[in-house]
Amino acid sequence: MWSFFSREKNDFPYEIGDEVHGLESWSIWSLHRGRKKGAVADEVSIFVYDIKNGTEAKLELARASLKRLKTLRHPSILQYLDSVETDKVLYVATESVEPLGTHIEKLETDGPQKDLYLAWGIFQITRALSFLNNDGSLRHNNVSVWSVFVNTSGEWKLGGLEYVSPVDGNPAPPLKVPPQLELYDPPEKSDTAKLKSATKCSTDMWALGCLVWESFNGKLRARSNLKEIENIPKSLTPLYCELVGALPAKRPNPADIITKCRKPGGFFKNDLVDTLLFLEEIQIKDKAEKNRFFGALTPQLDNFPENVCRHKILPQLITAYEYGDAGSAVLAPMFKLGRLLDEAEYQKRIVPCVVKLFASTDRVTRSRLLQQLDMFVSHLQPNVVNDQIFPQVAHGFLDTNPTIREQTVKSVIHLAPKLNYNNLNVEVLRHFARLQARDDQGGIRTNTTVCLGKIAPHLHPQVRQRVLVSAFIRAMRDPFPPARMTKKGRIQKKTIENKLTRRDIVNRLKFSICPGIAVPVGVKIRNPKLDEARRKREEKKLQRQRELEARRAARGPLKLGAKKL
């Protein structure tokens, strides 16, 4: 249940909900879930500092953190939304997040997928520290799993800005509240001689090393635990040892870490990091690069974490199609990731794109849509199919490109259950009759007959009786041999037996089958026709035997003295 804190100012546009436990033991803030007033889905996080029960020193830290959060804007720094201060409490609204310290404990993945995800997270924090140390000339002084937060997209965001200081100030790390945060301070804090050799980034690089250790090992309980490197990936071990080195001057600059680890074989050089960085820069990529990227993306998605795919990659793909020139290459990965959405989200985010795509005049886009129809047709509502999609699909029956015509015919198999009476029993059958009788491509004529058999259960019974017999007879007279072959050109055996009357089969269809027996020996359809005739004869013989046995069983056993009929 959502609850409200009593406050004097009512202009804070967010409701404050339940507390997210864990952070309060490692920060002056408590973290709460929240959402925008009047909205259901707009979730946020609310950082709360209790002024009434706090101290003046802590209040100054909270205000300093808020000031930095407002002014520091970077993709890897926690996103500020709004804030309000009363005489009792200070509220700060940010994007919806949870502390990395609790998030890591809940990670279900292990092995290569987990390594990919942790590489992306550590890369983001390294990038944020590079921005602070090099571009902003600032030290963070508080990097740990409790100052890093994870949003719904799986992105790691740097927060905990209470102790940020200029790089030209005192290099000694400040006193922390609560005191257990000092576990992440570098060893030179108590060694004045080593402190003189500290660089602008040495303090944060030590803390980054602690973050790396905790990412792969769990909670850091003592500084001596940093010597245990068995669980750290081999590609990261040399860099980790530099980060937690005893000499501050030897610790690397975060910009150099990114450059080194992004080289082939480096820890940050993997499919997930490459994919997400490409999507961040997609607006400056040319069309050839985008096509290559999207062509290789689909098989890689199985190795990526689900929350990253659903909340990070999929929105980027939709944006790339709607506002960029990504073209039809984006369809395959977009539809694959669409399966991760629930029905409401799918209707909101994917279906409008599908409708827009079907209106495209680009043949490549239409072709790929028709090929992948089975991936999304189950999510389409009948009114959307009949009013917005089928009128666009129907243009494909008249297309001059044989591939588009054939794919349009095959698409009806998936659309038929959702089509209304007029679209299915009038429009589709009118196009099918024309294609089966007059299309210059034998393969299209053959597939039209096969597809007609598959959609037969969805046809109106009266229409079905009339159409199937005519279509079957027309197929048997087709000059294209495969159209007349039993396995491909005829309507399926099950369709004939279940959907046609015995009178139609005996009086009309047999006369279209028998002429195939007289075809010259060299033509492939002769033997199948003979086999079909023999099969029909055997079926009739077996049917007569079953009927005779059924009548005998119905009369029961003969009584003594009764005459046998």
Side-chain angles (χ1 to χ4, degrees), residues 545-558:
Q545 291 178 351
R546 285 195 292 267
E547 291 175 355
L548 181 59
E549 292 173 357
R551 288 198 297 268
R552 289 174 176 173
R555 289 197 298 266
L558 289 174

Side-chain angles (χ1 to χ4, degrees), residues 37 94 106 138 202 212 232 235 237 256 295 317 384 414 429 525 551:
K37 291 180 180 178
T94 70
K106 297 186 293 184
L138 298 170
S202 57
V212 169
I232 297 177
S235 60
T237 301
D256 296 333
L317 296 181
V384 174
H414 303 291
L429 295 183
I525 67 170
R551 288 198 297 268

Side-chain angles (χ1 to χ4, degrees), residues 12-188:
F12 192 55
Y14 297 97
E15 298 177 2
I16 303 171
D18 300 330
E19 183 176 357
V20 179
H21 296 287
L23 181 65
E24 67 279 358
S25 300
W26 296 87
S27 174
I28 62 174
W29 302 93
S30 61
L31 179 61
H32 294 255
R33 295 184 179 90
R35 64 182 177 190
K36 196 166 186 177
K37 291 180 180 178
V40 177
D42 293 344
E43 295 186 356
V44 298
S45 287
I46 310 292
F47 288 81
V48 180
Y49 174 68
D50 187 355
I51 297 176
K52 185 177 180 180
N53 297 317
T55 65
E56 190 64 28
K58 290 182 180 180
L59 178 58
E60 290 304 314
L61 288 175
R63 288 171 175 167
S65 175
L66 175 58
K67 179 181 176 180
R68 294 294 186 184
L69 195 62
K70 284 182 177 181
T71 56
L72 293 173
R73 296 289 184 171
H74 187 271
S76 297
I77 292 180
L78 189 62
Q79 182 184 359
Y80 167 83
L81 298 177
D82 201 353
S83 61
V84 65
E85 180 180 342
T86 72
D87 57 351
K88 296 180 180 180
V89 70
L90 173 61
Y91 299 112
V92 179
T94 70
E95 60 184 311
S96 181
V97 293
E98 66 174 323
L100 178 61
T102 57
H103 178 77
I104 285 183
E105 296 175 357
K106 297 186 293 184
L107 283 180
E108 299 178 356
T109 57
D110 203 359
Q113 189 179 98
K114 184 176 181 179
D115 289 347
L116 291 180
Y117 176 65
L118 293 179
W120 170 238
I122 295 170
F123 170 83
Q124 290 178 294
I125 300 306
T126 307
R127 184 170 62 174
L129 292 174
S130 179
F131 167 73
L132 288 177
N133 297 161
N134 298 315
D135 301 328
S137 297
L138 298 170
R139 290 192 186 95
H140 187 275
N141 289 318
N142 189 32
V143 178
S144 72
V145 292
W146 300 105
S147 64
V148 174
F149 299 89
V150 184
N151 64 13
T152 54
S153 302
E155 296 179 290
W156 292 16
K157 300 297 186 80
L158 186 61
L161 304 177
E162 297 89 82
Y163 306 100
V164 172
S165 64
V167 297
D168 55 2
N170 184 0
L175 294 176
K176 306 288 180 62
V177 180
Q180 58 260 38
L181 287 174
E182 295 182 5
L183 174 66
Y184 301 103
D185 288 341
E188 62 266 19

